Amino acid sequence: MGDRGGPGAGGARRRRGGAPGTRPPPDPDPDPGHGDSAGPAQEFRCHKLQESLLSSASGYSNYRGVLNWCVVMLILSNARLFLENLIKYGILVDPIQVVSLFLKDPYSWPSLCLIIVANVFAVAALTLERRLATGSVSEATGAFLHVLNLVTILFFPAATVLAVTSITPVGSVFALATYTILFLKLFSFHDVNRWCREAKDQAPEGRKANGAVGMSEVSYPDNLTYRNLYYFLFAPTLCYELNFPRSPRIRKRFLLRRLFEMLFFIQLLVGLIQQWMVPTIQNSMKPFRDMDYSRIIERLLKLAVPNHLIWLIFFYWFFHSCLNVVAELMQFGDREFYRDWWNSESVTYFWQNWNIPVHKWCLRHFYKPMLKRGASKWVAQAAVFLASAFFHEYLVSVPLKMFRLWAFMGMAAQIPLAWFVSRFLRGHYGNAAVWLSLILGQPMAVLMYVHDSYVLTSEGRP
C-alpha cells in the first residue's frame, strides 16, 4: 500500500538493479479491467460495479435453464396427477365410445346429411354471383338474396339440430361448425366479387398474382366456376381471392409428418378427455349442488390443468397439423395460420394472432368496413368481440339444446379485460394476465355448462 509508484516505477528500479540481496515480489495476475497503469491496490481487486442477474437492470436474459426446470417440474407434476388418476379410476379410455357418438343413428346420419345439404347454399351463392356478373340481377336484389342465403345458412342447421332428437351433440358441433365456416366463406365470396364488379373498368389486364407459381391469372368474371368456388371452400382460409398463392409441389415427407401428428394427437386428445377431464367434471357436480364454494374453486383449479393441456394440444393439432395437411394437398401457399400468440402482452394481441384465418376475415370484412362507415376503433373492436361471442354461443348452446349464454358472456368479458390489461398491465404482467385468463376462463365455462346440463337432466327436462 505504501508503494505508490505503480508497476512502471517498480520495473524501472528493477532494471536499475535495486538494492543488493532483495527480491522483487511476484507479479500478480493482471486484471484486464484496469490495465497496466493500475496500482497494487487495484491489481488485487475482485469486485466491480454490477447488478444481480435476476435484477431487471442487469440486462441478463438467458433463462433457458429455468425454462428447462419449469418443463421438468410440469412433466413431473402432471405425471403424478395422471398416475393418481389411473390408480383412482383405472383405464377409462374407450375409442369405441367416441365412434358411437357419430354412429348413434346409423340409418340416417343427420349430421352427415346436414353437411351434404350445405352444398345447396354454396351453389345458390355461385348462381347468384353469375347473375350479378351478367347484369340480369340488380345489385340491390342481389344483396337481398345474398343476405337471405346467409341467414338461412345459420338458421336452417340450428333448427334441424333442435328438431331432430337422434342427432348427437358431437355430430351437431361438426355440422354447425361446417355451416359457420360456409357462412364466413360465402360472405367473403360475395364481398370480393362485388369489389371486382365495382373496379372492373380499372382492373389492370394480365397482372400476375402474387405467389401463383405456374398458374395462369384468373380475372373476373372467369372466376365464377365450380372449380374455383370449391377450391376456395376446401382451402384453409376464410378470405376469398380470385388467385391464391400456390406452392410449386406437394412435399410428401412434410405431408406424412403432419398426417402422423394428426392421428397421434387426436388419439391423445380423446384419451385425455375420457381419462382426465370426464371424471373431474363428474366429481364437480356435488360441490355445485351443495354450493360449497371452496370445493367449487378446488374443482375449477383441478380441471384447469387438463383442460388447458387439451386446449394446447388441440391448437397444435388443428392449426398446425390439420391445416397444413389440407394446404399441402391443395398446394395452398399461405401457411400463416397463427402467429406468436404465446408472447401476447395484451388480450387484443392474443385474439389477433392465435387464429389468423378468422382474424383476417374480421379485419377485411367487418372491422375495416365499420371504420369506413364512420365507427370508432373502440366500437369496431367491441363489435368484433360481440360477433365472435355470438358464434361461440351458437356452436355450444345449439348442440347442447340449452341456452345459458356462458360462452357469449365469456367472450363479451374480453372487452373490459382487454381494456384493463392494456391500461394497467405491461410486459410480463400483461402476458401473465393473458395466460391466466386462458387457463381459468375455459374450465369455468365448461363447469357452468355441465352444471346446467346436469340440473336440467335431474329435473327431467330434455
Side-chain angles (χ1 to χ4, degrees):
M1 295 294 291
D3 188 358
R4 298 181 182 269
R13 286 193 295 269
R14 285 194 294 272
R15 285 192 295 270
R16 288 193 298 266
T22 62
R23 293 191 329 186
D27 292 332
D29 292 336
D31 188 348
H34 296 87
D36 293 338
S37 61
Q42 295 182 354
E43 288 179 358
F44 290 99
R45 283 184 177 179
C46 62
H47 299 286
K48 63 180 179 180
L49 185 65
Q50 56 185 338
E51 298 286 345
S52 298
L53 287 184
L54 297 181
S55 300
S56 59
S58 67
Y60 182 78
S61 60
N62 185 11
Y63 295 101
R64 181 173 297 178
V66 177
L67 178 62
N68 292 335
W69 171 79
C70 292
V71 172
V72 171
M73 290 297 294
L74 183 65
I75 293 174
L76 290 177
S77 59
N78 283 284
R80 185 199 67 81
L81 291 174
F82 192 73
L83 182 60
E84 179 185 11
N85 179 278
L86 286 176
I87 295 173
K88 187 175 182 180
Y89 301 108
I91 298 178
L92 302 177
V93 179
D94 184 8
I96 304 301
Q97 184 182 14
V98 178
V99 176
S100 67
L101 294 175
F102 296 91
L103 305 179
K104 185 178 180 181
D105 190 7
Y107 299 104
S108 61
W109 287 347
S111 300
L112 180 60
C113 293
L114 266 178
I115 294 174
I116 294 174
V117 171
N119 289 277
V120 174
F121 301 99
V123 173
L126 177 61
T127 304
L128 178 59
E129 290 300 328
R130 285 177 170 177
R131 295 293 183 90
L132 288 168
T134 59
S136 58
V137 174
S138 66
E139 286 293 335
T141 303
F144 172 77
L145 294 175
H146 171 65
V147 171
L148 181 62
N149 189 41
L150 292 178
V151 171
T152 308
I153 287 174
L154 291 181
F155 281 94
F156 169 72
T160 304
V161 168
L162 295 175
V164 177
T165 57
S166 62
I167 194 168
T168 62
V170 175
S172 302
V173 169
F174 275 92
L176 293 176
T178 301
Y179 274 83
T180 301
I181 293 171
L182 181 66
F183 172 88
L184 299 175
K185 283 177 177 280
L186 293 184
F187 193 107
S188 178
F189 183 71
H190 174 75
D191 265 5
V192 173
N193 283 295
R194 176 170 56 84
W195 297 337
C196 289
R197 286 192 297 273
E198 293 172 353
K200 186 177 181 180
D201 296 335
Q202 292 79 20
E205 298 292 336
R207 181 174 59 85
K208 187 69 176 177
N210 182 27
V213 180
M215 302 294 293
S216 59
E217 174 80 9
V218 176
S219 58
Y220 184 83
D222 297 335
N223 63 303
L224 300 178
T225 63
Y226 286 103
R227 179 185 179 88
N228 184 280
L229 173 63
Y230 275 91
Y231 180 88
F232 168 56
L233 293 182
F234 284 97
T237 181
L238 299 175
C239 293
Y240 178 69
E241 292 181 13
L242 275 68
N243 299 277
F244 290 103
R246 304 292 294 274
S247 56
R249 63 184 181 86
I250 297 177
R251 298 168 293 177
K252 295 182 176 61
R253 290 185 179 180
F254 178 87
L255 181 62
L256 289 175
R257 285 198 298 268
R258 300 290 84 80
L259 284 171
F260 174 77
E261 290 174 355
M262 282 180 60
L263 296 175
F264 173 76
F265 283 119
I266 192 62
Q267 295 294 328
L268 182 61
L269 284 170
V270 171
L272 288 175
I273 291 173
Q274 290 181 322
Q275 185 70 44
W276 205 347
M277 277 196 70
V278 172
T280 304
I281 293 173
Q282 291 174 343
N283 293 336
S284 302
M285 293 303 99
K286 187 177 184 302
F288 270 99
R289 187 173 59 249
D290 300 338
M291 297 306 293
D292 186 349
Y293 294 106
S294 60
R295 292 287 294 171
I296 290 174
I297 296 175
E298 186 269 337
R299 291 288 99 182
L300 173 65
L301 295 176
K302 188 172 184 179
L303 182 63
V305 175
N307 178 85
H308 189 63
L309 180 61
I310 288 169
W311 181 80
L312 290 174
I313 295 174
F314 171 81
F315 165 80
Y316 187 90
W317 172 78
F318 182 76
F319 286 98
H320 188 72
S321 301
C322 295
L323 293 186
N324 268 299
V325 164
V326 176
E328 197 68 28
L329 289 173
M330 302 186 69
Q331 294 180 259
F332 186 81
D334 186 0
R335 307 298 176 87
E336 190 185 40
F337 305 123
Y338 56 88
R339 297 191 190 115
D340 61 333
W341 57 264
W342 46 86
N343 293 326
S344 302
E345 296 179 0
S346 66
V347 175
T348 53
Y349 186 89
F350 168 79
W351 289 109
Q352 291 170 358
N353 291 277
W354 94 279
N355 188 340
I356 294 301
V358 170
H359 170 66
K360 285 182 178 179
W361 187 94
C362 291
L363 191 67
R364 187 192 200 195
H365 299 287
F366 201 131
Y367 183 78
K368 288 184 177 179
M370 287 193 68
L371 294 181
K372 290 180 180 179
R373 289 179 173 87
S376 65
K377 290 185 177 181
W378 190 90
V379 171
Q381 189 179 74
V384 170
F385 273 114
L386 292 177
S388 178
F390 166 78
F391 282 108
H392 277 78
E393 189 65 36
Y394 177 80
L395 293 173
V396 176
S397 290
V398 176
L400 294 178
K401 299 182 180 181
M402 64 177 188
F403 302 93
R404 292 297 185 271
L405 300 180
W406 296 118
F408 182 89
M409 290 189 291
M411 279 301 303
Q414 300 296 307
I415 300 174
L417 179 63
W419 175 84
F420 177 83
V421 173
S422 62
R423 181 73 180 273
F424 298 104
L425 300 176
R426 293 287 188 276
H428 299 303
Y429 296 103
N431 183 253
V434 172
W435 278 112
L436 194 62
S437 67
L438 293 174
I439 295 172
L440 295 181
Q442 294 172 4
M444 188 180 300
V446 170
L447 287 179
M448 292 296 101
Y449 278 107
V450 173
H451 169 260
D452 290 348
S453 178
Y454 173 80
V455 171
L456 292 177
T457 304
S458 63
E459 292 178 355
R461 286 185 285 175

